Amino acid sequence: MENGKSSGPLERLPHIALTAKDDETGERPHLAPSEVSFTLPSGMRLAGQAWGDPDSPYRIIGLHGWLDNSNTWRGLAPYLATNLPARIVAIDFAGHGLSAHRHREAPYDLYEHVSDVLEVSKLLGWASFGLICHSMGAAVGSMLAGMFPAMVSAALYVDVLGPFASEDYGRSSLEVNEYRMQKRAAALQRQRRGFPSFLTP
């Protein structure tokens, strides 16, 4: 508490030193991530990495961009872990990194990713948490914060990609889902192009 104002994670971020502090043994215990895995209620497994003290009051979920993975945060997460200090859990979205793929007929839209992040937060036992998000992950994070503002204590967005909503404007969620499933079914029926250089051994 400074000057009658609370000193939360956002107020402290500008003062973070970008140098890790050694302990008495000369080791840097929070710089190396540990691998984590989450089995969602659907049975799908999400992989990820974690840094920092599991008992830290500052809890952060890292969300990477499209065609990327949790390694996005290997540079920033150790410094947040040692200087806030915070517990950071960065996940690999479904179909990315070391996470499993969805069922063949399942969509990979932003809503599904939002649902996955919520399930991960439940498995962690985190009622509220901060977010660090990049690109597609920033779209997922902003949607999550908009739908569940009480759960998101702070958010940092890098290279933000917002959700595209123009084609869905004015439609009910049922109509949107039906439309997306029709598009997916049509895409699956299209004949894939082959190129001799790839098809010939």
Side-chain angles (χ1 to χ4, degrees):
M1 183 78 69
E2 298 178 8
N3 300 324
K5 296 181 179 179
S6 62
S7 179
L10 284 181
E11 288 78 9
R12 296 180 63 181
L13 280 176
H15 308 292
I16 291 175
L18 294 182
T19 55
K21 299 175 182 177
D22 297 344
D23 62 17
E24 296 80 4
T25 64
E27 297 296 326
R28 298 180 177 180
H30 298 311
L31 287 182
S34 58
E35 293 187 3
V36 293
S37 179
F38 304 94
T39 302
L40 306 187
S42 64
M44 187 178 67
R45 186 188 64 83
L46 293 185
Q49 302 178 73
W51 295 261
D53 183 357
D55 296 323
S56 171
Y58 298 119
R59 300 164 174 176
I60 300 172
I61 294 179
L63 305 177
H64 63 77
W66 185 55
L67 299 183
D68 209 338
N69 56 62
S70 57
N71 281 322
T72 293
W73 306 113
R74 286 182 75 101
L76 177 61
Y79 296 110
L80 296 178
T82 55
N83 288 278
L84 275 178
R87 174 65 169 177
I88 299 99
V89 175
I91 64 171
D92 293 336
F93 282 123
H96 294 71
L98 298 178
S99 288
H101 291 265
R102 300 193 192 282
H103 184 272
R104 185 172 181 270
E105 300 300 326
Y108 279 88
D109 59 33
L110 298 177
Y111 300 100
E112 295 296 324
H113 292 319
V114 169
S115 176
D116 291 345
V117 176
L118 288 174
E119 293 298 339
V120 167
S121 71
K122 291 177 183 177
L123 291 171
L124 288 168
W126 294 359
S128 66
F129 47 86
L131 293 170
I132 51 176
C133 317
H134 173 243
S135 191
M136 180 189 76
V140 174
S142 63
M143 291 171 64
L144 191 153
M147 290 186 281
F148 305 96
M151 297 186 70
V152 180
S153 58
L156 172 65
Y157 302 120
V158 181
D159 193 18
V160 179
L161 171 66
F164 299 103
S166 58
E167 69 178 22
D168 298 338
Y169 183 77
R171 302 184 184 192
S172 69
S173 59
L174 182 62
E175 291 172 328
V176 169
N177 288 332
E178 183 178 359
Y179 171 70
R180 289 178 177 169
M181 290 305 294
Q182 289 173 350
K183 285 182 65 177
R184 179 168 177 77
L188 290 172
Q189 291 175 2
R190 284 199 299 266
Q191 184 175 5
R192 295 183 179 180
R193 294 194 301 165
F195 298 91
S197 59
F198 291 110
L199 300 178
T200 303

